[in-house]
Structures are given as C-alpha cells and as structure tokens.
Amino acid sequence: MDHELPHLVGLEARIADMIAPAVTDMGFELVRVAVLGRDRPTVQIMADRADGTLIGVGDCEAISRAVGAVLDVEDPIPGEWELEVSSAGIDRPLTRIKDWNRYAGHQARAEVNIPIDGRKRFAGIVLGGADGTGRMRLDDGTEVALPLAELRRARLVLTDALIAASARMNKIGGLDAEADVGAEVAPAGKPGRHRKMPPRTH
C-alpha cells in the first residue's frame, strides 16, 4: 500500500509499471498517468512526495529526466511523443485507495463509466476507501461506494478547508506552501533536454 499505483488499464498501466520503480526510488509516488493525443501524444505524469506533499519545479525536472530515460529504453509508444511532469496539485485527482483515505472529510466530484443507482456523476464528502472502492456521502445524506475500476474521473474540490489542510501538510513536509509547482516537457528520445513550462498555480 505504501507504493500503491493509480488504477489504470492498457498503455497507461504499462507505462506506470515501467516508470514506478524509478519514481519510487527517488522518494516520489505516481498519482496519475495519462496518454493524450494521437499524432504526437503527450504522456502526462502527476507525482508527489511519498508523504503526500507537493513537489516543486526542481522535482519535476528530476522526475522528467528519470522517466524520460526509462521510456526511451522501453519504447512503449511508437513515433514521437512528449513528456509532461507535474504535481498533482491541491485539488488533486483521487486515483488510489490511499488518496480516498488521506483526504477523507474533504469535498470531491466523481464520474463513473457505468451508472450506479441510475447516475454517473456524484458530488459530496470523501469518506475513505477500501477493497477497491472509494466512498462518498452525497449532499442528500446517502452514501455511495464507487469502484475505482469504473471511475472515469474523481477529483477534490478546491475549498478553503482543503487549501488550509494542504498548507499544513506541506509545512510539515518541509515545503513552502507558496512554492512553484510546475510542469516539464521533454521531447521523446532526448531525455535531459527539457523545456520548462510556466509554473502551475492552484
């Protein structure tokens, strides 16, 4: 559970399996892996420190170099592609059971692939997760268990309480809450040659 990977399928799952050891060895965790686009796809990596605190621009650069090197060797994507590494941010996606437990009590929105009780979209308070499902208490007071395998997306809602909690967590983790959280883009086949993107703010 300490190094739980986000629930993924297909190419994204294979990429996560390839890069997770390198990311873990550096003291970080994968939060999200996505492959977007077709002609020149972008591999999006979201990562944080193992304690859940945000990573900074320097961390993104280090992860980008390590991940780029692995993907160049494994070559899971034919043709040209780009790599983007960023922090999961404060209003982060909930992709692992540990995310649902770590952020219990905060507001989130989720969407599933197959309707549950006649609906696909849910909004409410995160209650935690176990046995492959994340639980929420909806606005009407009912509770729902959402299978991670069927989640199209699930993300925290940015609230004052979440911002305050994240600031406390980052302070404990030794990271200034105002630190830049940026993204890195590396041309495929050329790890180490990075073009820094403007810092993301949350």
Side-chain angles (χ1 to χ4, degrees), residues 101-177:
N101 288 326
R102 179 176 283 161
Y103 292 96
H106 292 284
Q107 296 181 34
R109 296 182 184 277
E111 182 178 352
V112 294
N113 294 312
I114 299 176
I116 297 175
D117 295 331
R119 61 190 294 185
K120 286 188 174 183
R121 295 180 178 87
F122 303 86
I125 303 298
V126 175
L127 297 178
D131 300 324
T133 63
R135 295 182 298 109
M136 295 177 67
R137 183 172 63 248
L138 308 182
D139 295 337
D140 62 5
T142 61
E143 295 185 10
V144 62
L146 307 176
L148 267 62
E150 294 298 335
L151 278 180
R152 177 171 296 178
R153 62 179 63 88
R155 196 176 192 97
L156 293 174
V157 174
L158 192 63
T159 63
D160 290 341
L162 179 60
I163 293 172
S166 297
R168 288 193 300 271
M169 185 181 297
N170 287 326
K171 186 174 182 180
I172 293 172
L175 179 68
D176 185 345

Side-chain angles (χ1 to χ4, degrees), residues 3-25 30 32-33 43 45 67 70-71 74 76:
H3 303 298
E4 180 187 359
L5 293 178
H7 183 86
L8 300 164
V9 297
L11 176 60
E12 293 167 348
R14 294 199 303 274
I15 290 175
D17 287 338
M18 291 173 187
I19 67 176
V23 173
T24 300
D25 287 346
L30 290 176
R32 180 175 184 263
V33 176
V43 180
I45 307 295
V67 168
V70 171
L71 294 182
E74 299 292 342

Side-chain angles (χ1 to χ4, degrees), residues 2-3 24 27-29 48-53 55 96 98 102:
D2 287 344
H3 303 298
T24 300
F28 304 114
E29 292 185 340
D48 277 334
R49 291 184 173 87
D51 62 4
T53 56
I55 60 176
R96 305 166 298 173
K98 68 188 307 177
R102 179 176 283 161

Side-chain angles (χ1 to χ4, degrees), residues 9-105:
V9 297
L11 176 60
E12 293 167 348
R14 294 199 303 274
I15 290 175
D17 287 338
M18 291 173 187
I19 67 176
V23 173
T24 300
D25 287 346
M26 298 170 69
F28 304 114
E29 292 185 340
L30 290 176
V31 178
R32 180 175 184 263
V33 176
V35 179
L36 306 175
R38 304 185 74 175
D39 294 335
R40 186 179 177 129
T42 296
V43 180
Q44 288 188 343
I45 307 295
M46 285 187 180
D48 277 334
R49 291 184 173 87
D51 62 4
T53 56
L54 302 180
I55 60 176
V57 173
D59 299 320
C60 290
E61 293 172 348
I63 295 170
S64 184
R65 286 192 294 270
V67 168
V70 171
L71 294 182
D72 276 342
V73 171
E74 299 292 342
D75 197 24
I77 302 174
E80 295 184 336
W81 46 271
E82 292 184 338
L83 174 63
E84 180 181 298
V85 179
S86 71
S87 166
I90 297 175
D91 53 339
R92 69 188 52 230
L94 303 172
T95 61
R96 305 166 298 173
I97 292 296
K98 68 188 307 177
D99 298 325
W100 287 81
N101 288 326
R102 179 176 283 161
Y103 292 96

